[in-house]
Amino acid sequence: MTKKVTNNILNILGKEVLPDTSTIINFNIAKLYTSTKVEIPIIIERSKIPGPTVLITAGIHGDEINGVEVVRQIIAKKINKPAKGSIICIPVLNVFGFLNMDRFFPDGRDLNRVFPGTKNGSLASRFAYQFINEILPAVDFCLDFHTGGASRFNAPHIRVDPKNEKLIKLAKIFNAPFILHSKNLEGSYRATCAKKGKDILLFEGGKSQNSSKEIAVEGVQGVMRILDHFEMLDDVFEVPKPPANSIVIKKSFWMRARYSGLLHIKIPIGKHVEKGEVLATITDPYGKMRHVVKATNEGYVINVNEAPIVYKGDAIFRITKELGDD
């Protein structure tokens, strides 16, 4: 599919967006039961100087608020006003889920598993189809923001296909604390971008129905470094310098609870732990049982289950097993 830019005029959802303009286009796919319109604002900022088109999205899962906050800050701080090219921001893709604080679309489907969608399928599938066919063709590079599901808090990281060297280089420019080697999942936005030749970085950080200032800072600063790399960051902004290079993770595994009970976390997310180090305790509600959870190997803790109670077998800590080169 050809890019929908002709004579430096950007075409989104059938509307022409001229250079050196600020535009909001409402993406309307369906209505609520009450016939109330559900509109998804697409916020477009264009420079008069030609350049790349960057798409920044969040809220594919409606309950992942931290990603929405990252994109909101990018807009509020005017980071999305490019020195050249165009920046398209969609803070909430799944407005239906956002309204209900739910991961899914009203049809019960996970939007991030139905891409590229179908013209006459379910609501989620139709939405994905329009997005892929009406918005994505105009784009050169994508940044998509997510959080951990349920009560699982992700350390801030970029997920990238280990076979894509170009994206690994861009992930290092973004410079989140971690880069996780992760194959593209069938039906995901990321996999569809790859099949259509669109470069994409997926950021994960925090957990659903929660907003973390620290995670938002990592996301916003990473975007600024990427825009600076593309020479799109306005000169009024100073490029944030990361404290260290990203730690590349090739393999990781989940430690699971050996007992049911109340979970008491003892370590911060992202910590490097030694084998045998105390990570948590699991107790019963009656003060009779106290089980100490110890790290089974050395590594970084990149995901923590922050649920107050767990069942035997529940995943509680994700720990790195094999690191890559810087």
Side-chain angles (χ1 to χ4, degrees):
M1 188 173 292
T2 58
K3 184 177 177 181
K4 294 189 177 183
V5 180
T6 307
N7 297 325
N8 205 23
I9 297 175
L10 190 67
N11 192 303
I12 297 286
L13 293 169
K15 296 185 179 181
E16 293 184 343
V17 185
L18 299 173
D20 198 23
T21 58
S22 301
T23 307
I24 296 177
I25 297 174
N26 286 319
F27 185 10
N28 188 346
I29 185 70
K31 296 180 180 180
L32 298 177
Y33 297 127
T34 57
S35 295
T36 305
K37 287 184 179 179
V38 176
E39 295 182 330
I40 299 167
I42 301 172
I43 300 158
I44 305 170
E45 296 284 349
R46 301 203 70 201
S47 170
K48 61 184 178 182
I49 302 171
T53 299
V54 173
L55 173 62
I56 307 174
T57 56
I60 280 183
H61 298 126
D63 61 352
E64 295 184 355
I65 308 304
N66 233 136
V68 176
E69 174 60 15
V70 171
V71 185
R72 184 202 69 80
Q73 288 193 25
I74 289 165
I75 297 166
K77 295 176 180 179
K78 303 188 186 307
I79 297 166
N80 65 320
K81 290 185 176 291
K84 69 176 185 180
S86 307
I87 298 176
I88 303 170
C89 290
I90 310 178
V92 187
L93 268 174
N94 181 3
V95 169
F96 296 99
F98 188 75
L99 289 170
N100 297 317
M101 277 296 91
D102 192 346
R103 179 181 180 89
F104 303 104
F105 249 62
D107 56 12
R109 287 171 171 81
D110 183 337
L111 178 59
N112 209 27
R113 295 295 181 271
V114 299
F115 284 99
T118 55
K119 187 176 182 179
N120 299 310
S122 69
L123 180 59
S125 186
R126 290 178 188 223
F127 178 90
Y129 179 86
Q130 274 201 259
F131 177 85
I132 293 300
N133 289 279
E134 298 294 332
I135 298 173
L136 193 64
V139 173
D140 297 300
F141 180 76
C142 305
L143 287 159
D144 189 33
F145 289 86
H146 289 258
T147 76
S151 298
R152 296 177 182 178
F153 194 108
N154 276 324
H157 67 270
I158 293 288
R159 292 188 182 180
V160 64
D161 185 341
K163 296 180 181 179
N164 193 320
E165 293 183 5
K166 180 181 178 182
L167 287 184
I168 290 174
K169 289 179 181 178
L170 287 169
K172 290 179 179 179
I173 291 167
F174 189 105
N175 215 127
F178 299 98
I179 296 172
L180 179 64
H181 285 188
S182 172
K183 294 180 181 179
N184 294 329
L185 293 174
E186 192 64 31
S188 69
Y189 173 39
R190 184 161 64 113
T192 301
C193 284
K195 289 177 181 178
K196 294 193 175 286
K198 303 290 184 179
D199 292 329
I200 181 171
L201 292 181
L202 185 154
F203 175 90
E204 286 271 359
K207 65 178 180 179
S208 61
Q209 299 188 18
N210 180 266
S211 189
S212 162
K213 291 181 180 179
E214 292 75 16
I215 296 296
V217 166
E218 293 289 352
V220 171
Q221 291 187 351
V223 170
M224 293 175 72
R225 287 190 281 267
I226 287 290
L227 293 178
D228 178 67
H229 172 73
F230 291 140
E231 300 178 347
M232 296 175 70
L233 187 67
D234 195 286
D235 290 339
V236 301
F237 296 104
E238 184 177 348
V239 183
K241 294 182 180 180
N245 291 333
S246 299
I247 297 166
V248 180
I249 302 165
K250 288 187 174 182
K251 292 182 180 180
S252 60
F253 74 101
W254 279 102
M255 282 186 59
R256 296 186 176 274
R258 295 175 60 189
Y259 298 88
S260 301
L262 282 68
L263 180 65
H264 310 274
I265 306 296
K266 303 297 183 183
I267 50 110
I269 189 74
K271 187 178 189 296
H272 182 271
V273 297
E274 301 293 335
K275 183 178 180 180
E277 185 171 341
V278 175
L279 306 181
T281 59
I282 297 175
T283 65
D284 65 10
Y286 313 110
K288 301 296 184 181
M289 181 271 285
R290 183 177 183 274
H291 169 70
V292 177
V293 180
K294 296 182 179 180
T296 55
N297 69 290
E298 177 189 356
Y300 291 91
V301 178
I302 59 170
N303 190 298
V304 173
N305 186 345
E306 294 187 342
I309 57 174
V310 293
Y311 281 104
K312 182 178 181 179
D314 282 355
I316 49 176
F317 296 102
R318 190 175 184 181
I319 303 179
T320 61
K321 194 173 184 180
E322 182 180 341
L323 302 181
D325 299 325
D326 291 335

